[in-house]
Amino acid sequence: MTCDACAKKGVEVNGTVVLMIMEDRYDLCDEHGARFRDQLAAALAPAVDAALAA
């Protein structure tokens, strides 16, 4: 399994992280896995904070 994000750049890096969104699956390296995790957490942070306050 190779990192889908790296493969877009023509680089072959082992995928170590699986990101699943509904039926979509993305294989990612550690670097891209952390980057997407941080971006998703930042995007959802206001919604999570509001749910916790309720």
Side-chain angles (χ1 to χ4, degrees), residues 19-21 35-53:
L19 171 64
M20 296 283 300
I21 301 174
R35 188 179 305 170
F36 284 113
R37 179 192 61 224
D38 293 345
Q39 290 175 359
L40 187 58
L44 295 177
V48 171
D49 292 342
L52 292 175

Side-chain angles (χ1 to χ4, degrees), residues 12-23:
E12 191 170 317
V13 177
N14 287 336
T16 58
V17 176
V18 175
L19 171 64
M20 296 283 300
I21 301 174
M22 305 278 289
E23 302 86 30

